[in-house]
Amino acid sequence: MGLLIYLNGRLVPEEEAKISVFDHGLLYGDGVFEGIRLYSGRVFRLTQHLQRLYESAASIRLRVPLTPAQFEQAILDTVRANQLQDGYIRPVVTRGPGDLGLDPAKCGNPTVFIIASRIQLYPEAWYEQGLKIQTVSTRKNAVDSLNPRLKSLNYLNNILAKLEANEAGAAEALMLNHAGQVAECSADNIFIVRARSVLTPPVWVGALGGITRQVVLELAARAGFTAAETILTQHDLYTADEVFMTGTAAEIVPVVNVDGRPIGQGKPGPITMQLRQAFRELTTQEGTPVYTQQADE
Ligand code: PXG
């Protein structure tokens, strides 16, 4: 059975969930989005995802035609309509239909849609054996051109990086900023472990403020590690005890090889595994319940 999609205030069958070819989300990547996980009937860190969505929209002066409370209800309604317990939720807000020019002022009606679907989990082997990543030549967008903190529909920078990584036979692309500092991967944040420190680059070097990244910083501190944001270079990764990536879809994935250099013992490290375990436990404990409230509440 097909999915029910939230589109501009209505739940419609996926075959009918269509938007205009004049939508500037399509014509120009003019819009914002989120990727959210649903674990056992609870939406993980929903408030934080919505906050990031509204911040991304504010940054591009895009008016979201729902209040955050309405948006939250729309997400919960969409999950309920599809009777999901575990899944992936993709809210998208675009500038809406306009003419063929760039001018966003001519787009009067932003488009809002929400897809809630089952999630295709990554193979267990990724987590047991770890992944290989590769530095790519595509640099992260500069923070003063298109700030990577903005989760916009304009993802070509990341896609170009992903293409390079695919070409090199690597699972993910390690992306540097224009100063040669490590920023993040094409769709995941990056961390290193050195001694008892768990380190990730600050967002101002050119990285998304990942929700999973934030959770990992919290969990690492709670577990007694030094959790900090710091400038990292490729050298720091090559000589780290452990490297891992974080993201909503991937959660926490060990990296065992960077640019052909084995990391640590060349297998997933103990602190990565410990954090992954802590993360998994947290996903079973917290989250906004989808089914314990009335639909019309
Ligand atoms: N960096 C970038 C550039 C991202 O797009 C993350 C980091 C991780 O952030 P969260 O908040 O998820 O911890 C993302 C995540 C995918 C996919 O297929 C991931 C993202 C967007 C689209 C697809 O894994 N965003």
Side-chain angles (χ1 to χ4, degrees):
M1 201 188 70
L3 294 171
L4 287 170
I5 311 290
Y6 175 97
L7 177 60
N8 297 328
R10 297 198 308 134
L11 284 161
V12 298
E14 63 178 83
E15 304 75 33
E16 292 167 32
K18 292 181 178 161
I19 63 165
S20 166
V21 292
F22 290 98
D23 195 300
H24 281 208
L26 174 63
L27 289 176
Y28 298 117
D30 187 356
V32 298
F33 76 105
E34 274 300 319
I36 311 175
R37 280 289 281 277
L38 172 74
Y39 292 97
S40 308
R42 293 191 211 195
V43 185
F44 190 67
R45 297 264 158 144
L46 179 54
T47 310
Q48 289 86 345
H49 280 285
L50 280 172
Q51 187 176 344
R52 187 171 66 184
L53 182 76
Y54 278 79
E55 285 175 2
S56 293
S59 185
I60 64 166
R61 306 200 85 209
L62 169 60
R63 182 180 60 84
V64 182
L66 300 171
T67 65
Q70 289 170 332
F71 213 119
E72 175 167 335
Q73 281 310 314
I75 287 173
L76 299 178
D77 288 346
T78 309
V79 171
R80 269 193 292 267
N82 291 284
Q83 295 171 28
L84 295 165
Q85 287 292 333
D86 292 274
Y88 185 81
I89 307 162
R90 170 63 55 87
V92 179
V93 185
T94 81
R95 193 77 66 180
D99 64 18
L100 290 178
L102 284 182
D103 193 358
K106 294 186 179 157
C107 305
N109 292 305
T111 302
V112 178
F113 61 88
I114 303 166
I115 305 168
S117 73
R118 261 167 253 290
I119 181 163
Q120 185 66 50
L121 293 174
Y122 295 121
E124 198 50 41
W126 278 27
Y127 300 96
E128 285 162 10
Q129 289 152 32
L131 296 179
K132 177 179 154 58
I133 65 174
Q134 176 84 37
T135 308
V136 295
S137 68
T138 305
R139 295 297 172 111
K140 207 76 208 172
N141 284 328
V143 294
D144 54 355
S145 46
L146 180 57
N147 196 323
R149 285 186 73 182
L150 212 173
K151 203 165 168 61
S152 83
L153 292 179
N154 207 312
Y155 251 48
L156 263 184
N157 178 242
N158 311 58
I159 289 163
L160 290 174
K162 186 74 175 179
L163 282 172
E164 278 192 68
N166 288 348
E167 204 64 49
E172 248 287 21
L174 179 65
M175 299 183 76
L176 311 178
N177 65 12
H178 287 92
Q181 297 156 338
V182 170
E184 62 173 341
C185 298
S186 75
D188 299 285
N189 288 108
I190 188 93
F191 280 78
I192 71 166
V193 179
R194 174 180 290 280
R196 289 190 58 82
S197 294
V198 176
L199 307 170
T200 193
V203 289
W204 54 261
V205 304
L208 183 73
I211 306 297
T212 319
R213 171 186 180 278
Q214 188 56 42
V215 172
V216 167
L217 286 170
E218 290 167 22
L219 289 174
R222 206 181 297 167
F225 301 109
T226 301
E229 300 176 81
T230 189
I231 295 290
L232 297 175
T233 60
Q234 284 164 298
H235 176 82
D236 296 308
L237 269 64
Y238 298 161
T239 58
D241 298 334
E242 304 179 24
V243 174
F244 62 86
M245 301 183 294
T246 65
T248 293
E251 299 178 333
I252 299 173
V253 204
V255 172
V256 295
N257 189 297
V258 181
D259 299 342
R261 294 152 175 85
I263 303 303
Q265 307 302 311
K267 54 186 197 342
I271 295 175
T272 304
M273 294 314 224
Q274 183 184 336
L275 290 170
R276 177 167 163 74
Q277 186 58 35
F279 184 86
R280 292 220 137 163
E281 276 164 26
L282 190 68
T283 62
T284 66
Q285 289 159 7
E286 64 167 47
T288 307
V290 177
Y291 297 101
T292 53
Q293 54 169 189
Q294 295 299 311
D296 59 357
E297 202 171 63

